[in-house]
Amino acid sequence: MTSNTRVVVIGAGLAGVRLARRLGELGTPALLVGEEQHPPYNRVLLAEVLAGRYAPEVITLPAPSGLLRARVTGVDRAARTVECADGTSIAYDTLVLATGSNPVLPPLRGLFTPDHQLPEGVHAFRTMDDCLGLAKSVRPGVRTVVVGGGLLGVSAARALAVRGAQVVLAQQAERLMERQLDPDASRLVLRHLTELAVEVHTECRVRDVRCVAGAVRSVELADGYALDADLVVLACGVRPRTGLAEQAGLAVHHGILVDDALRTSDPRIHAVGDCVQHDGTVYGLAAPALEQADALAELLAGDGEARYRGTRSLTRLTLTGPGSPFDLAAFGETEARPGDDVVRLADATRGTYRKVVVREDRLVGGVLVGELGTVGALARAWEGAEPLPDDGPLLHLLTHDGGS
């Protein structure tokens, strides 16, 4: 079977759904091809589903009218067709790759069964199926090891602890969320997890997964210490899903290379979202994916001037559950260079922390933990990249609600 569709979008995640919906609104309908059997959903909120705060349907995205469930196996650039696993061939005039990213599976001994599957009890944490499979296995007291202490690992550990699991988090770096947070903010995250009875080990490398009869029983650390485990959650980051692009002969580095028009090395093929590398950057965040989708929708709908110039994106995490929510936000450079000015306010009793970094009269980064009323004003000052006024506004921004 062959169908003729002018714009075909591969990938029904945040970026693909946003692009297809915007194109429909602009009078340029697209065929959206997604391989997951679940309705499109907001992957950012999977930890809330795992924690039991949201039912899966709550995080469902408004789906565009044209959605085909199929697994794409190849792209024939000469014929301008997309080939699917069921034998379907879909013709395109313009193709958009929104293939997202895959979880990083660390090179651990014993991680895979002889048929290259994860053992029983070992879970990645990237898709709705991952989330639902993990949620089905969680029960009070279950011994769980989370491998990875970045944004995803912290979210997963918090969600599992809320569900009553005995959680150990193993982080190879010297602190939690080291890519987003400075040491002081990281210590507050550690304190929050510790208050939930999560046992955190930093500078700790997992080297082995021990299984009995195909099911995980323990995790061995590089120093030989073994952690008993009924469940293991792999939260070691993600990498752009570039396989289709590579098979099609498109230019790929860390991600699929695109220009400001979000064109790949083939002018009839564009790419958006986590799979993309733009101007040397792979973002892997929701805000840039949505901005790319919006810019490309305008371009494909006829605005020849529409371009994507990059995103100055803010990382925000809200950990909910028993007690007060734990909020944090980080943007830009959170570590100062020599000569930078730093304004820092901390309240150990309330568990709040605010810090901004100023370089040559410009706000270049900041990190806030707890009471994030100021985050809106600070983010706007950073995104604008304009010189700060001389009348000392930073203390005001840090101590007054600037609107979130």
Side-chain angles (χ1 to χ4, degrees):
M1 181 182 76
T2 300
S3 60
N4 292 300
T5 304
R6 192 173 76 83
V7 179
V8 175
V9 181
I10 301 176
L14 273 174
V17 169
R18 177 69 159 254
L19 174 61
R21 288 187 63 231
R22 286 291 296 134
L23 283 171
E25 293 167 358
L26 295 169
T28 308
L31 175 64
L32 180 65
V33 183
E35 65 180 66
E36 289 192 58
Q37 294 306 304
H38 301 280
Y41 56 90
N42 185 347
R43 202 180 306 278
V44 174
L45 297 175
L46 281 176
E48 301 290 0
V49 175
L50 179 59
R53 184 179 182 217
Y54 294 154
E57 56 269 20
V58 172
I59 70 169
T60 298
L61 297 171
S65 55
L67 173 59
L68 172 67
R69 300 194 184 284
R71 183 170 64 87
V72 175
T73 57
V75 175
D76 186 332
R77 291 168 52 195
R80 294 209 300 273
T81 58
V82 170
E83 310 303 324
C84 300
D86 62 3
T88 301
S89 179
I90 304 169
Y92 68 84
D93 291 322
T94 298
L95 179 65
V96 183
L97 301 178
T99 49
S101 54
N102 287 324
V104 172
L105 300 180
L108 308 180
R109 291 197 301 253
L111 183 59
F112 293 102
T113 63
D115 59 350
H116 304 290
Q117 301 297 312
L118 293 176
E120 180 183 342
V122 178
H123 299 261
F125 188 42
R126 181 63 181 163
T127 68
M128 180 64 79
D129 281 339
D130 294 335
C131 180
L132 296 180
L134 187 54
K136 189 181 297 183
S137 302
V138 176
R139 60 186 184 277
V142 68
R143 299 168 301 180
T144 305
V145 176
V146 176
V147 182
L151 183 65
L152 185 61
V154 167
S155 300
R158 172 52 151 87
L160 291 162
V162 167
R163 294 283 299 273
Q166 295 180 17
V167 182
V168 176
L169 188 153
Q171 163 71 325
Q172 188 167 336
E174 65 180 8
R175 65 178 190 269
L176 298 174
M177 295 182 64
E178 81 284 1
R179 293 184 180 180
Q180 294 91 7
L181 304 182
D182 69 351
D184 289 330
S186 185
R187 277 190 287 272
L188 286 177
V189 176
L190 173 61
R191 187 176 87 172
H192 175 75
L193 291 179
T194 302
E195 288 172 351
L196 290 170
V198 176
E199 182 181 329
V200 178
H201 297 269
T202 55
E203 298 184 274
C204 165
R205 185 171 64 84
V206 174
R207 72 178 182 188
D208 201 352
V209 174
R210 298 291 178 87
C211 299
V212 176
V216 66
R217 289 293 177 263
S218 66
V219 167
E220 185 176 312
L221 307 181
D223 61 6
Y225 186 75
L227 301 169
D228 291 337
D230 305 301
L231 291 176
V232 174
V233 181
L234 304 174
C236 304
V238 297
R239 61 168 55 95
R241 192 176 179 187
T242 60
L244 273 179
E246 293 178 72
Q247 291 170 18
L250 301 178
V252 173
H253 189 213
H254 297 298
I256 303 169
L257 296 178
V258 296
D259 60 14
D260 288 356
L262 296 160
R263 284 180 304 229
T264 69
S265 52
D266 181 333
R268 288 186 174 273
I269 302 178
H270 296 71
V272 293
D274 288 1
C275 63
V276 159
Q277 180 176 341
H278 172 266
D279 195 23
T281 300
V282 176
Y283 290 99
L285 297 169
L290 297 175
E291 289 187 16
Q292 290 166 8
D294 287 345
L296 184 56
E298 297 287 339
L299 180 67
L300 297 182
D303 181 356
E305 301 302 315
R307 293 292 184 272
Y308 174 72
R309 306 293 186 187
T311 301
R312 293 168 67 82
S313 56
L314 178 145
T315 297
R316 187 161 183 172
L317 176 65
T318 298
L319 302 174
T320 55
S324 301
F326 181 82
D327 292 316
L328 65 85
F331 55 92
E333 300 178 46
T334 59
E335 296 283 8
R337 298 180 188 172
D340 289 349
D341 293 319
V342 177
V343 180
R344 181 186 286 110
L345 298 175
D347 186 331
T349 302
R350 297 163 68 187
T352 62
Y353 174 75
R354 301 175 183 185
K355 167 188 167 182
V356 293
V357 180
V358 179
R359 180 176 306 140
E360 297 178 352
D361 76 5
R362 283 174 170 79
L363 182 62
V364 296
V367 56
L368 301 94
V369 179
E371 298 183 7
L372 300 189
T374 62
V375 69
L378 287 169
R380 285 191 293 273
W382 169 65
E383 289 167 351
E386 298 293 332
L388 294 168
D390 295 328
D391 54 358
L394 279 178
L395 190 59
H396 175 79
L397 288 177
L398 283 172
T399 55
H400 293 78
D401 186 346
S404 58

